[in-house]
Amino acid sequence: MKSLFSIIVVLLSALALTRGAKWPIGYWGIPKADKGCPSVSDQGFVFREGYRKHDTNSDSKWSTPLNLYGDYGRKSMEQHFCMKTYETGDVEWPKGKYCVFKAWAQDCPAGMKGWDGYVFWDDNDIFNSNKLVGEVPDGVYTYDTEIRYCCKVDGMDENAEISLPNTQPFLLLRYGGYCQKVAGMNISEQWFNWDCANIFPKNSAGGYYPDIDLGTRYITMFYCYYTPAEV
């Protein structure tokens, strides 16, 4: 049986290997966590931020906890984004199962599926107060909302860890039925359920897109919230 000391050494070595991990090359975005977008001042770019306010009906629900940035409630929800609008970087997204937002008018990063992947929210029809601010993912934003995605779908082992920056909290979008493990990070699976239009609702999704429960009137999206592990 391994000693406690040898286990600690292995864990510390694994953490050391990933402490210097960088965000991948290409154009993409991730949900903004309640702690803000990750700091990337040492990586040659900054995340550009924006948000979409959905006007929903009166019965939206969410998990506890829900570590999304912004206001959300039974009658409205703000999706906030951290968008990478610079191609800088020298590593590609690692093999796994997860999704990110597609950057406006850009191809998905190398190795990702989903140039046609989308989710369509049929937002509230009556006195609609949808709002769009700042840098947002590729999509269509009117009285309704269509957002487009890029997904990694080549993960074969649910227990395999990938290497991403692991010194600050961040969010990915779940794909394939489970949250992708990231070396040196704890995971909390969370969700938000939109109560969409109740008059002839037209919610839909197609192509490669994050895990959702798609109902006639409701859409539930699943988030993976990562926080640095402590040894």
mmCIF file of all heavy atoms in Angstrom, residues 14-60:
data_model
loop_
_atom_site.group_PDB
_atom_site.id
_atom_site.type_symbol
_atom_site.label_atom_id
_atom_site.label_comp_id
_atom_site.label_asym_id
_atom_site.label_seq_id
_atom_site.Cartn_x
_atom_site.Cartn_y
_atom_site.Cartn_z
ATOM 1 N N ALA A 14 1.352 16.200 -10.044
ATOM 2 C CA ALA A 14 0.300 16.402 -11.045
ATOM 3 C C ALA A 14 -0.130 17.864 -11.095
ATOM 4 O O ALA A 14 -0.327 18.439 -12.163
ATOM 5 C CB ALA A 14 -0.908 15.514 -10.733
ATOM 6 N N LEU A 15 -0.255 18.478 -9.920
ATOM 7 C CA LEU A 15 -0.620 19.884 -9.875
ATOM 8 C C LEU A 15 0.449 20.759 -10.518
ATOM 9 O O LEU A 15 0.158 21.692 -11.261
ATOM 10 C CB LEU A 15 -0.852 20.326 -8.431
ATOM 11 C CG LEU A 15 -2.164 19.872 -7.789
ATOM 12 C CD1 LEU A 15 -2.153 20.221 -6.299
ATOM 13 C CD2 LEU A 15 -3.351 20.511 -8.475
ATOM 14 N N ALA A 16 1.715 20.436 -10.251
ATOM 15 C CA ALA A 16 2.815 21.228 -10.791
ATOM 16 C C ALA A 16 2.828 21.181 -12.314
ATOM 17 O O ALA A 16 3.119 22.173 -12.987
ATOM 18 C CB ALA A 16 4.153 20.728 -10.240
ATOM 19 N N LEU A 17 2.489 20.011 -12.882
ATOM 20 C CA LEU A 17 2.490 19.866 -14.329
ATOM 21 C C LEU A 17 1.441 20.733 -14.998
ATOM 22 O O LEU A 17 1.577 21.116 -16.160
ATOM 23 C CB LEU A 17 2.266 18.392 -14.712
ATOM 24 C CG LEU A 17 3.435 17.447 -14.454
ATOM 25 C CD1 LEU A 17 3.010 16.008 -14.704
ATOM 26 C CD2 LEU A 17 4.637 17.806 -15.332
ATOM 27 N N THR A 18 0.356 21.044 -14.271
ATOM 28 C CA THR A 18 -0.746 21.777 -14.885
ATOM 29 C C THR A 18 -0.812 23.227 -14.449
ATOM 30 O O THR A 18 -1.592 23.997 -14.991
ATOM 31 C CB THR A 18 -2.088 21.090 -14.566
ATOM 32 O OG1 THR A 18 -2.218 20.981 -13.137
ATOM 33 C CG2 THR A 18 -2.132 19.694 -15.181
ATOM 34 N N ARG A 19 -0.018 23.639 -13.463
ATOM 35 C CA ARG A 19 -0.072 25.023 -13.009
ATOM 36 C C ARG A 19 0.302 25.984 -14.136
ATOM 37 O O ARG A 19 -0.171 27.110 -14.181
ATOM 38 C CB ARG A 19 0.868 25.241 -11.819
ATOM 39 C CG ARG A 19 0.389 24.638 -10.508
ATOM 40 C CD ARG A 19 -0.925 25.216 -10.060
ATOM 41 N NE ARG A 19 -1.339 24.674 -8.778
ATOM 42 C CZ ARG A 19 -2.559 24.761 -8.283
ATOM 43 N NH1 ARG A 19 -3.504 25.355 -8.981
ATOM 44 N NH2 ARG A 19 -2.850 24.258 -7.108
ATOM 45 N N GLY A 20 1.141 25.539 -15.057
ATOM 46 C CA GLY A 20 1.553 26.398 -16.152
ATOM 47 C C GLY A 20 0.715 26.241 -17.401
ATOM 48 O O GLY A 20 1.066 26.776 -18.447
ATOM 49 N N ALA A 21 -0.399 25.514 -17.321
ATOM 50 C CA ALA A 21 -1.242 25.304 -18.489
ATOM 51 C C ALA A 21 -1.808 26.630 -18.984
ATOM 52 O O ALA A 21 -2.102 27.536 -18.206
ATOM 53 C CB ALA A 21 -2.369 24.328 -18.150
ATOM 54 N N LYS A 22 -1.952 26.733 -20.300
ATOM 55 C CA LYS A 22 -2.469 27.949 -20.923
ATOM 56 C C LYS A 22 -3.835 27.673 -21.548
ATOM 57 O O LYS A 22 -4.161 26.543 -21.885
ATOM 58 C CB LYS A 22 -1.498 28.438 -22.005
ATOM 59 C CG LYS A 22 -0.084 28.703 -21.516
ATOM 60 C CD LYS A 22 -0.030 29.871 -20.536
ATOM 61 C CE LYS A 22 1.409 30.189 -20.143
ATOM 62 N NZ LYS A 22 1.469 31.290 -19.139
ATOM 63 N N TRP A 23 -4.588 28.755 -21.736
ATOM 64 C CA TRP A 23 -5.846 28.610 -22.447
ATOM 65 C C TRP A 23 -5.570 28.335 -23.918
ATOM 66 O O TRP A 23 -4.640 28.885 -24.491
ATOM 67 C CB TRP A 23 -6.700 29.864 -22.279
ATOM 68 C CG TRP A 23 -7.277 29.979 -20.906
ATOM 69 C CD1 TRP A 23 -6.903 30.828 -19.914
ATOM 70 C CD2 TRP A 23 -8.340 29.177 -20.368
ATOM 71 N NE1 TRP A 23 -7.663 30.622 -18.789
ATOM 72 C CE2 TRP A 23 -8.556 29.600 -19.037
ATOM 73 C CE3 TRP A 23 -9.130 28.143 -20.873
ATOM 74 C CZ2 TRP A 23 -9.527 29.030 -18.214
ATOM 75 C CZ3 TRP A 23 -10.095 27.578 -20.049
ATOM 76 C CH2 TRP A 23 -10.288 28.022 -18.744
ATOM 77 N N PRO A 24 -6.377 27.488 -24.553
ATOM 78 C CA PRO A 24 -6.085 27.052 -25.926
ATOM 79 C C PRO A 24 -6.203 28.152 -26.978
ATOM 80 O O PRO A 24 -6.867 29.177 -26.782
ATOM 81 C CB PRO A 24 -7.120 25.946 -26.161
ATOM 82 C CG PRO A 24 -7.453 25.440 -24.792
ATOM 83 C CD PRO A 24 -7.424 26.673 -23.930
ATOM 84 N N ILE A 25 -5.600 27.868 -28.107
ATOM 85 C CA ILE A 25 -5.582 28.761 -29.254
ATOM 86 C C ILE A 25 -6.984 28.857 -29.867
ATOM 87 O O ILE A 25 -7.827 27.975 -29.692
ATOM 88 C CB ILE A 25 -4.557 28.247 -30.295
ATOM 89 C CG1 ILE A 25 -4.294 29.292 -31.364
ATOM 90 C CG2 ILE A 25 -5.014 26.925 -30.899
ATOM 91 C CD1 ILE A 25 -3.152 28.918 -32.313
ATOM 92 N N GLY A 26 -7.217 29.915 -30.621
ATOM 93 C CA GLY A 26 -8.460 30.046 -31.374
ATOM 94 C C GLY A 26 -9.429 31.027 -30.759
ATOM 95 O O GLY A 26 -9.139 31.707 -29.770
ATOM 96 N N TYR A 27 -10.594 31.090 -31.386
ATOM 97 C CA TYR A 27 -11.662 31.996 -30.981
ATOM 98 C C TYR A 27 -12.774 31.175 -30.335
ATOM 99 O O TYR A 27 -13.292 30.232 -30.945
ATOM 100 C CB TYR A 27 -12.210 32.738 -32.199
ATOM 101 C CG TYR A 27 -11.162 33.470 -33.007
ATOM 102 C CD1 TYR A 27 -10.525 32.837 -34.076
ATOM 103 C CD2 TYR A 27 -10.826 34.783 -32.713
ATOM 104 C CE1 TYR A 27 -9.576 33.502 -34.837
ATOM 105 C CE2 TYR A 27 -9.877 35.460 -33.466
ATOM 106 C CZ TYR A 27 -9.254 34.815 -34.529
ATOM 107 O OH TYR A 27 -8.305 35.476 -35.274
ATOM 108 N N TRP A 28 -13.182 31.559 -29.132
ATOM 109 C CA TRP A 28 -14.180 30.777 -28.397
ATOM 110 C C TRP A 28 -14.611 31.569 -27.172
ATOM 111 O O TRP A 28 -14.109 32.675 -26.914
ATOM 112 C CB TRP A 28 -13.604 29.410 -27.980
ATOM 113 C CG TRP A 28 -12.231 29.477 -27.365
ATOM 114 C CD1 TRP A 28 -11.037 29.324 -28.027
ATOM 115 C CD2 TRP A 28 -11.889 29.739 -25.996
ATOM 116 N NE1 TRP A 28 -9.973 29.489 -27.150
ATOM 117 C CE2 TRP A 28 -10.475 29.742 -25.889
ATOM 118 C CE3 TRP A 28 -12.628 29.983 -24.846
ATOM 119 C CZ2 TRP A 28 -9.810 29.962 -24.685
ATOM 120 C CZ3 TRP A 28 -11.960 30.215 -23.633
ATOM 121 C CH2 TRP A 28 -10.568 30.191 -23.580
ATOM 122 N N GLY A 29 -15.525 31.018 -26.405
ATOM 123 C CA GLY A 29 -15.964 31.670 -25.184
ATOM 124 C C GLY A 29 -16.429 30.665 -24.154
ATOM 125 O O GLY A 29 -16.746 29.517 -24.481
ATOM 126 N N ILE A 30 -16.454 31.092 -22.893
ATOM 127 C CA ILE A 30 -16.942 30.264 -21.794
ATOM 128 C C ILE A 30 -17.930 31.082 -20.969
ATOM 129 O O ILE A 30 -17.901 32.312 -20.995
ATOM 130 C CB ILE A 30 -15.793 29.743 -20.900
ATOM 131 C CG1 ILE A 30 -14.945 30.901 -20.363
ATOM 132 C CG2 ILE A 30 -14.939 28.728 -21.652
ATOM 133 C CD1 ILE A 30 -13.838 30.473 -19.391
ATOM 134 N N PRO A 31 -18.822 30.413 -20.218
ATOM 135 C CA PRO A 31 -19.714 31.166 -19.333
ATOM 136 C C PRO A 31 -18.906 31.908 -18.271
ATOM 137 O O PRO A 31 -17.902 31.407 -17.771
ATOM 138 C CB PRO A 31 -20.590 30.069 -18.696
ATOM 139 C CG PRO A 31 -20.460 28.876 -19.594
ATOM 140 C CD PRO A 31 -19.082 28.956 -20.164
ATOM 141 N N LYS A 32 -19.360 33.105 -17.933
ATOM 142 C CA LYS A 32 -18.687 33.884 -16.895
ATOM 143 C C LYS A 32 -19.124 33.383 -15.521
ATOM 144 O O LYS A 32 -20.321 33.333 -15.219
ATOM 145 C CB LYS A 32 -19.010 35.365 -17.048
ATOM 146 C CG LYS A 32 -18.266 36.275 -16.069
ATOM 147 C CD LYS A 32 -18.589 37.740 -16.317
ATOM 148 C CE LYS A 32 -17.870 38.648 -15.326
ATOM 149 N NZ LYS A 32 -18.198 40.087 -15.562
ATOM 150 N N ALA A 33 -18.165 33.020 -14.694
ATOM 151 C CA ALA A 33 -18.457 32.540 -13.350
ATOM 152 C C ALA A 33 -18.671 33.714 -12.405
ATOM 153 O O ALA A 33 -18.322 34.859 -12.704
ATOM 154 C CB ALA A 33 -17.316 31.656 -12.850
ATOM 155 N N ASP A 34 -19.234 33.420 -11.241
ATOM 156 C CA ASP A 34 -19.519 34.490 -10.278
ATOM 157 C C ASP A 34 -18.249 35.184 -9.793
ATOM 158 O O ASP A 34 -18.312 36.324 -9.312
ATOM 159 C CB ASP A 34 -20.340 33.965 -9.100
ATOM 160 C CG ASP A 34 -19.697 32.784 -8.389
ATOM 161 O OD1 ASP A 34 -18.616 32.325 -8.814
ATOM 162 O OD2 ASP A 34 -20.294 32.292 -7.410
ATOM 163 N N LYS A 35 -17.099 34.531 -9.917
ATOM 164 C CA LYS A 35 -15.826 35.156 -9.546
ATOM 165 C C LYS A 35 -15.251 36.005 -10.678
ATOM 166 O O LYS A 35 -14.197 36.627 -10.525
ATOM 167 C CB LYS A 35 -14.813 34.089 -9.143
ATOM 168 C CG LYS A 35 -15.229 33.204 -7.981
ATOM 169 C CD LYS A 35 -15.334 33.959 -6.683
ATOM 170 C CE LYS A 35 -15.601 33.008 -5.520
ATOM 171 N NZ LYS A 35 -15.771 33.730 -4.230
ATOM 172 N N GLY A 36 -15.908 36.026 -11.835
ATOM 173 C CA GLY A 36 -15.439 36.796 -12.970
ATOM 174 C C GLY A 36 -14.741 35.932 -14.007
ATOM 175 O O GLY A 36 -14.548 34.721 -13.821
ATOM 176 N N CYS A 37 -14.358 36.547 -15.114
ATOM 177 C CA CYS A 37 -13.591 35.833 -16.135
ATOM 178 C C CYS A 37 -12.182 35.552 -15.605
ATOM 179 O O CYS A 37 -11.622 36.356 -14.854
ATOM 180 C CB CYS A 37 -13.492 36.663 -17.408
ATOM 181 S SG CYS A 37 -15.073 36.931 -18.241
ATOM 182 N N PRO A 38 -11.582 34.416 -16.005
ATOM 183 C CA PRO A 38 -10.209 34.131 -15.560
ATOM 184 C C PRO A 38 -9.245 35.243 -15.976
ATOM 185 O O PRO A 38 -9.382 35.832 -17.050
ATOM 186 C CB PRO A 38 -9.880 32.813 -16.281
ATOM 187 C CG PRO A 38 -11.197 32.191 -16.572
ATOM 188 C CD PRO A 38 -12.135 33.332 -16.833
ATOM 189 N N SER A 39 -8.262 35.510 -15.120
ATOM 190 C CA SER A 39 -7.229 36.477 -15.451
ATOM 191 C C SER A 39 -6.245 35.857 -16.440
ATOM 192 O O SER A 39 -5.715 34.769 -16.197
ATOM 193 C CB SER A 39 -6.485 36.901 -14.177
ATOM 194 O OG SER A 39 -5.390 37.742 -14.493
ATOM 195 N N VAL A 40 -6.015 36.543 -17.560
ATOM 196 C CA VAL A 40 -5.152 35.986 -18.619
ATOM 197 C C VAL A 40 -4.119 37.024 -19.062
ATOM 198 O O VAL A 40 -3.645 36.978 -20.195
ATOM 199 C CB VAL A 40 -5.997 35.515 -19.821
ATOM 200 C CG1 VAL A 40 -6.801 34.285 -19.473
ATOM 201 C CG2 VAL A 40 -6.929 36.636 -20.298
ATOM 202 N N SER A 41 -3.756 37.935 -18.188
ATOM 203 C CA SER A 41 -2.856 39.024 -18.563
ATOM 204 C C SER A 41 -1.484 38.528 -19.024
ATOM 205 O O SER A 41 -0.779 39.227 -19.741
ATOM 206 C CB SER A 41 -2.682 39.983 -17.384
ATOM 207 O OG SER A 41 -2.188 39.300 -16.239
ATOM 208 N N ASP A 42 -1.124 37.293 -18.620
ATOM 209 C CA ASP A 42 0.177 36.747 -19.002
ATOM 210 C C ASP A 42 0.103 35.908 -20.272
ATOM 211 O O ASP A 42 1.099 35.287 -20.658
ATOM 212 C CB ASP A 42 0.734 35.889 -17.864
ATOM 213 C CG ASP A 42 -0.158 34.700 -17.538
ATOM 214 O OD1 ASP A 42 -1.378 34.777 -17.835
ATOM 215 O OD2 ASP A 42 0.353 33.700 -17.002
ATOM 216 N N GLN A 43 -1.057 35.888 -20.942
ATOM 217 C CA GLN A 43 -1.222 35.011 -22.101
ATOM 218 C C GLN A 43 -1.458 35.762 -23.403
ATOM 219 O O GLN A 43 -1.826 35.165 -24.413
ATOM 220 C CB GLN A 43 -2.371 34.025 -21.843
ATOM 221 C CG GLN A 43 -2.073 33.091 -20.676
ATOM 222 C CD GLN A 43 -3.144 32.026 -20.507
ATOM 223 O OE1 GLN A 43 -3.589 31.426 -21.475
ATOM 224 N NE2 GLN A 43 -3.540 31.785 -19.271
ATOM 225 N N GLY A 44 -1.267 37.063 -23.393
ATOM 226 C CA GLY A 44 -1.318 37.821 -24.633
ATOM 227 C C GLY A 44 -2.707 38.174 -25.123
ATOM 228 O O GLY A 44 -2.869 38.552 -26.293
ATOM 229 N N PHE A 45 -3.719 38.067 -24.280
ATOM 230 C CA PHE A 45 -5.059 38.486 -24.678
ATOM 231 C C PHE A 45 -5.862 38.810 -23.429
ATOM 232 O O PHE A 45 -5.417 38.585 -22.306
ATOM 233 C CB PHE A 45 -5.767 37.393 -25.500
ATOM 234 C CG PHE A 45 -6.222 36.199 -24.695
ATOM 235 C CD1 PHE A 45 -7.533 36.114 -24.236
ATOM 236 C CD2 PHE A 45 -5.362 35.150 -24.408
ATOM 237 C CE1 PHE A 45 -7.971 35.036 -23.497
ATOM 238 C CE2 PHE A 45 -5.790 34.055 -23.680
ATOM 239 C CZ PHE A 45 -7.096 33.993 -23.212
ATOM 240 N N VAL A 46 -7.023 39.374 -23.624
ATOM 241 C CA VAL A 46 -7.969 39.597 -22.530
ATOM 242 C C VAL A 46 -9.318 39.052 -22.971
ATOM 243 O O VAL A 46 -9.653 39.083 -24.166
ATOM 244 C CB VAL A 46 -8.102 41.092 -22.159
ATOM 245 C CG1 VAL A 46 -6.807 41.616 -21.571
ATOM 246 C CG2 VAL A 46 -8.529 41.922 -23.360
ATOM 247 N N PHE A 47 -10.081 38.540 -22.036
ATOM 248 C CA PHE A 47 -11.439 38.130 -22.355
ATOM 249 C C PHE A 47 -12.308 39.368 -22.543
ATOM 250 O O PHE A 47 -12.311 40.276 -21.709
ATOM 251 C CB PHE A 47 -12.036 37.270 -21.236
ATOM 252 C CG PHE A 47 -11.556 35.844 -21.233
ATOM 253 C CD1 PHE A 47 -10.782 35.366 -20.180
ATOM 254 C CD2 PHE A 47 -11.877 34.985 -22.268
ATOM 255 C CE1 PHE A 47 -10.347 34.053 -20.167
ATOM 256 C CE2 PHE A 47 -11.444 33.677 -22.273
ATOM 257 C CZ PHE A 47 -10.681 33.193 -21.213
ATOM 258 N N ARG A 48 -13.042 39.397 -23.634
ATOM 259 C CA ARG A 48 -14.035 40.441 -23.834
ATOM 260 C C ARG A 48 -15.365 39.930 -23.290
ATOM 261 O O ARG A 48 -15.722 38.763 -23.492
ATOM 262 C CB ARG A 48 -14.145 40.815 -25.302
ATOM 263 C CG ARG A 48 -12.858 41.419 -25.855
ATOM 264 C CD ARG A 48 -13.011 41.877 -27.289
ATOM 265 N NE ARG A 48 -13.979 42.968 -27.401
ATOM 266 C CZ ARG A 48 -14.340 43.522 -28.568
ATOM 267 N NH1 ARG A 48 -13.794 43.092 -29.704
ATOM 268 N NH2 ARG A 48 -15.210 44.499 -28.600
ATOM 269 N N GLU A 49 -16.091 40.789 -22.616
ATOM 270 C CA GLU A 49 -17.271 40.359 -21.882
ATOM 271 C C GLU A 49 -18.551 40.945 -22.465
ATOM 272 O O GLU A 49 -18.554 42.010 -23.087
ATOM 273 C CB GLU A 49 -17.142 40.766 -20.409
ATOM 274 C CG GLU A 49 -15.920 40.170 -19.724
ATOM 275 C CD GLU A 49 -15.832 40.537 -18.257
ATOM 276 O OE1 GLU A 49 -16.900 40.797 -17.641
ATOM 277 O OE2 GLU A 49 -14.708 40.579 -17.717
ATOM 278 N N GLY A 50 -19.635 40.241 -22.245
ATOM 279 C CA GLY A 50 -20.948 40.706 -22.651
ATOM 280 C C GLY A 50 -21.999 39.819 -22.020
ATOM 281 O O GLY A 50 -21.678 38.874 -21.288
ATOM 282 N N TYR A 51 -23.266 40.129 -22.301
ATOM 283 C CA TYR A 51 -24.311 39.258 -21.766
ATOM 284 C C TYR A 51 -25.588 39.349 -22.583
ATOM 285 O O TYR A 51 -25.817 40.305 -23.329
ATOM 286 C CB TYR A 51 -24.601 39.579 -20.304
ATOM 287 C CG TYR A 51 -25.313 40.879 -19.999
ATOM 288 C CD1 TYR A 51 -26.705 40.947 -19.955
ATOM 289 C CD2 TYR A 51 -24.593 42.045 -19.739
ATOM 290 C CE1 TYR A 51 -27.359 42.132 -19.661
ATOM 291 C CE2 TYR A 51 -25.232 43.228 -19.438
ATOM 292 C CZ TYR A 51 -26.622 43.274 -19.401
ATOM 293 O OH TYR A 51 -27.261 44.448 -19.112
ATOM 294 N N ARG A 52 -26.397 38.311 -22.439
ATOM 295 C CA ARG A 52 -27.728 38.245 -23.008
ATOM 296 C C ARG A 52 -28.728 38.114 -21.873
ATOM 297 O O ARG A 52 -28.641 37.188 -21.059
ATOM 298 C CB ARG A 52 -27.870 37.030 -23.922
ATOM 299 C CG ARG A 52 -29.290 36.744 -24.428
ATOM 300 C CD ARG A 52 -29.874 37.911 -25.172
ATOM 301 N NE ARG A 52 -30.972 37.525 -26.071
ATOM 302 C CZ ARG A 52 -31.600 38.372 -26.854
ATOM 303 N NH1 ARG A 52 -31.263 39.655 -26.826
ATOM 304 N NH2 ARG A 52 -32.577 37.965 -27.658
ATOM 305 N N LYS A 53 -29.666 39.065 -21.793
ATOM 306 C CA LYS A 53 -30.761 38.943 -20.846
ATOM 307 C C LYS A 53 -31.922 38.269 -21.550
ATOM 308 O O LYS A 53 -32.394 38.732 -22.589
ATOM 309 C CB LYS A 53 -31.200 40.305 -20.323
ATOM 310 C CG LYS A 53 -32.421 40.205 -19.397
ATOM 311 C CD LYS A 53 -33.067 41.544 -19.133
ATOM 312 C CE LYS A 53 -34.373 41.381 -18.379
ATOM 313 N NZ LYS A 53 -35.103 42.659 -18.235
ATOM 314 N N HIS A 54 -32.392 37.138 -20.988
ATOM 315 C CA HIS A 54 -33.585 36.467 -21.475
ATOM 316 C C HIS A 54 -34.786 36.925 -20.647
ATOM 317 O O HIS A 54 -34.756 36.857 -19.413
ATOM 318 C CB HIS A 54 -33.483 34.948 -21.291
ATOM 319 C CG HIS A 54 -32.395 34.279 -22.049
ATOM 320 N ND1 HIS A 54 -32.631 33.573 -23.205
ATOM 321 C CD2 HIS A 54 -31.068 34.172 -21.809
ATOM 322 C CE1 HIS A 54 -31.487 33.050 -23.642
ATOM 323 N NE2 HIS A 54 -30.532 33.411 -22.804
ATOM 324 N N ASP A 55 -35.832 37.364 -21.333
ATOM 325 C CA ASP A 55 -37.107 37.596 -20.663
ATOM 326 C C ASP A 55 -37.844 36.259 -20.644
ATOM 327 O O ASP A 55 -38.224 35.732 -21.693
ATOM 328 C CB ASP A 55 -37.906 38.646 -21.433
ATOM 329 C CG ASP A 55 -39.194 39.038 -20.729
ATOM 330 O OD1 ASP A 55 -39.532 38.414 -19.703
ATOM 331 O OD2 ASP A 55 -39.881 39.966 -21.207
ATOM 332 N N THR A 56 -37.998 35.694 -19.470
ATOM 333 C CA THR A 56 -38.638 34.384 -19.347
ATOM 334 C C THR A 56 -40.033 34.547 -18.745
ATOM 335 O O THR A 56 -40.443 35.640 -18.368
ATOM 336 C CB THR A 56 -37.810 33.442 -18.455
ATOM 337 O OG1 THR A 56 -37.883 33.904 -17.091
ATOM 338 C CG2 THR A 56 -36.355 33.410 -18.894
ATOM 339 N N ASN A 57 -40.736 33.436 -18.676
ATOM 340 C CA ASN A 57 -41.998 33.426 -17.958
ATOM 341 C C ASN A 57 -41.720 33.353 -16.455
ATOM 342 O O ASN A 57 -40.612 33.621 -16.015
ATOM 343 C CB ASN A 57 -42.896 32.298 -18.454
ATOM 344 C CG ASN A 57 -43.722 32.739 -19.661
ATOM 345 O OD1 ASN A 57 -44.579 33.615 -19.562
ATOM 346 N ND2 ASN A 57 -43.452 32.139 -20.814
ATOM 347 N N SER A 58 -42.658 32.945 -15.682
ATOM 348 C CA SER A 58 -42.584 33.162 -14.226
ATOM 349 C C SER A 58 -42.173 31.935 -13.422
ATOM 350 O O SER A 58 -42.337 31.921 -12.204
ATOM 351 C CB SER A 58 -43.940 33.658 -13.713
ATOM 352 O OG SER A 58 -44.962 32.715 -14.004
ATOM 353 N N ASP A 59 -41.619 30.919 -14.084
ATOM 354 C CA ASP A 59 -41.338 29.708 -13.314
ATOM 355 C C ASP A 59 -39.969 29.107 -13.634
ATOM 356 O O ASP A 59 -39.803 27.893 -13.639
ATOM 357 C CB ASP A 59 -42.438 28.668 -13.559
ATOM 358 C CG ASP A 59 -42.432 27.551 -12.515
ATOM 359 O OD1 ASP A 59 -42.000 27.815 -11.374
ATOM 360 O OD2 ASP A 59 -42.840 26.418 -12.847
ATOM 361 N N SER A 60 -38.968 29.933 -13.927
ATOM 362 C CA SER A 60 -37.611 29.418 -14.120
ATOM 363 C C SER A 60 -37.070 28.889 -12.799
ATOM 364 O O SER A 60 -37.431 29.359 -11.721
ATOM 365 C CB SER A 60 -36.696 30.520 -14.662
ATOM 366 O OG SER A 60 -37.109 30.923 -15.952
#
